[in-house]
Amino acid sequence: MADPGPGTDSGSAGARAAAREFEEAGCLADVERAAAAVLPAGVRDFVAGGSGAETTLDANRAAFDRVFVVPRVLRDVSRCTTDATLLGRPVRMPVAVAPVAYQRLLHPEGELAVARAAERAGVPFTVSTMSSVPIERITAVGGTVWFQLYWLREPGRALDLARRAEDAGARAVMLTVDVPWMGRRLRDVRNRFTLPDHVRAAHLAEGTSTAHRRPCGAGSAVAAHTGETFSSAVTWSSVAELRECTRLPLVLKGALSPQDAVRAAECGVDAVVVSNHGGRQLDGAVPSIEALPEVVSAVVGRCEVLLDSGVRGGTDVLRALALGAGGVLLGRPVLWGLGAGGEAGVSRVLELVAEELLDALGLAGCSDVSAAGRLRTVVRNLRAP
């Protein structure tokens, strides 16, 4: 097993038990338990937590469990494949690694370990603006790299980051639009969460703000840093500026409204990600999987539609495809893999998703990903008598 990361006592009984659980992992929940056993409590909460009462965080998962697929039979699935395309490029499955900040919190290699595992799995890796490793080192790994952009208080700096990503070899720019400021994440507030000295936002000048390292009264230092760094004035004009700035495919992440998705397509966006930020922004926002069908219907093929928030396995990927998504972004499970086993842990997570998706496709009577989009779904209220 790879170095399990900071905060881990590899000689403890708990760490040995976690190592065994990781090595025997048969699903993503097993990997999460292994990571939770070895990560510091504050880091666990930073990854796992949502905003407010975590209503949307919990609803994301419950909403997936209400979606049932109607399988087809007597279809030849002897050559079943998960191969697909995302943003016009071939991938081994319709999955991309979602952008997540500060991955060196979970393992010393952070984003580099994840990028290597994603390259091996044949899926895109999305580098966050708040990455703890600079994009130039990540694109050097190879594979398909997308760059996620937050609109900064100085718009020129945001556009400079987009140009820097393009120069470094990124294949797409993904603008996140649902964070005018960080949602009130009570786990981080209660923990008075700060970043350790070895973790920093590698794309931001070191002198711009040190709020993420300073205890913040009764709050989260990371939230204070976000408030100082991100712009709450991001608008459709910002999207237009970014579209003019880069030749790369442009993705807009954080759309839940069909009207917003249509306007994004009209602005020349190549894809929208239906996302509630994993339940970490507006608590009470609609679960992403429930918002997906209306967005798909609204854009009627004018741009790609991807899904983020609540994906926990290959069956969830099938559900998203059946509801019209072209693919999904995978966030927290990748971090649990990183925390449990570094690069090997992330590879295991992506292997499990690929295995589960292939199994789900075949059992649903689909020889390929496109056939999954023609499946019928039934949404049930599991609380009904």
Side-chain angles (χ1 to χ4, degrees):
M1 175 171 151
D3 180 357
T8 301
D9 178 2
S10 59
S12 71
R16 289 194 296 272
R20 286 195 298 273
E21 185 157 24
F22 165 68
E23 290 163 359
E24 297 170 0
C27 65
L28 299 191
D30 293 341
V31 178
E32 180 177 349
R33 281 190 292 269
V38 297
L39 291 171
V43 174
R44 286 200 306 271
D45 281 346
F46 179 71
V47 174
S51 62
E54 301 188 344
T55 305
T56 295
L57 175 68
D58 294 338
N60 278 334
R61 186 61 253 157
F64 265 104
D65 289 338
R66 289 195 294 269
V67 178
F68 291 81
V69 171
V70 180
R72 302 300 304 271
V73 296
L74 298 174
R75 303 288 186 90
D76 183 356
V77 292
S78 59
R79 296 183 180 179
C80 190
T81 177
T82 62
D83 289 350
T85 60
L86 292 176
L87 298 181
R89 289 183 170 270
V91 292
R92 285 190 215 152
M93 60 177 167
V95 173
V97 175
V100 184
Y102 304 125
Q103 293 179 21
R104 291 191 66 215
L105 280 169
L106 291 105
H107 189 276
E109 289 196 302
E111 287 84 356
L112 288 175
V114 180
R116 287 194 292 265
E119 191 275 334
R120 189 178 308 110
V123 300
F125 171 59
T126 314
V127 180
S128 171
T129 292
M130 310 306 279
S131 171
S132 50
V133 176
I135 188 167
E136 291 83 1
R137 293 185 62 195
I138 296 168
T139 53
V141 167
T144 298
V145 174
W146 299 346
F147 183 74
Q148 176 270 336
L149 182 67
Y150 285 116
W151 203 249
L152 305 179
R153 282 183 177 268
E154 300 174 36
R157 291 180 60 215
L159 297 175
D160 285 345
L161 279 178
R163 296 185 190 101
R164 175 178 170 181
E166 187 168 348
D167 290 344
R171 300 294 188 179
V173 174
M174 178 183 293
L175 178 65
T176 295
V177 294
D178 58 356
V179 189
W181 52 79
M182 186 179 286
R184 196 159 180 268
R185 302 172 191 175
L186 295 181
R187 299 197 206 192
D188 295 344
V189 170
R190 290 165 182 149
N191 292 334
R192 299 184 66 199
F193 186 70
T194 61
L195 295 183
D197 289 343
H198 73 280
V199 178
R200 69 180 187 91
H203 297 124
L204 303 182
E206 187 59 51
T208 54
S209 173
T210 58
H212 53 306
R213 301 196 192 285
R214 301 191 306 266
C216 182
S220 160
V222 174
H225 180 244
T226 298
E228 291 183 4
T229 307
F230 295 0
S231 173
S232 58
V234 58
T235 66
W236 291 107
S237 298
S238 312
V239 177
E241 283 186 72
L242 183 57
R243 179 67 288 173
E244 287 293 320
C245 169
T246 181
R247 298 167 297 176
L248 295 175
L250 179 58
V251 183
L252 189 146
K253 179 176 180 286
L256 292 168
S257 157
Q259 293 89 341
D260 287 341
V262 168
R263 183 147 185 195
E266 291 170 349
C267 288
V269 164
D270 298 278
V272 295
V273 183
V274 180
S275 170
N276 58 40
H277 216 95
R280 292 162 76 82
Q281 283 302 106
L282 173 64
D283 193 32
V286 62
S288 297
I289 192 74
E290 291 187 0
L292 175 64
E294 286 190 358
V295 171
V296 170
S297 295
V299 300
V300 287
R302 284 184 283 181
C303 67
E304 291 187 40
V305 179
L306 308 177
L307 178 85
D308 167 274
S309 305
V311 179
R312 296 295 180 267
T315 301
D316 292 341
V317 181
L318 178 72
R319 289 163 162 155
L321 296 173
L323 288 171
V328 306
L329 273 59
L330 192 67
R332 285 184 180 93
V334 170
L335 296 188
W336 296 134
L338 181 63
E343 182 181 339
V346 179
S347 287
R348 182 57 183 148
V349 164
L350 296 174
E351 287 167 2
L352 284 168
V353 174
E355 291 168 8
E356 291 169 1
L357 176 58
L358 184 66
D359 185 61
L361 283 170
L363 294 178
C366 299
S367 61
D368 57 27
V369 165
S370 64
R374 297 189 290 273
L375 291 171
R376 191 167 73 87
T377 59
V378 175
V379 179
R380 299 182 59 197
N381 183 353
L382 297 185
R383 294 183 180 179

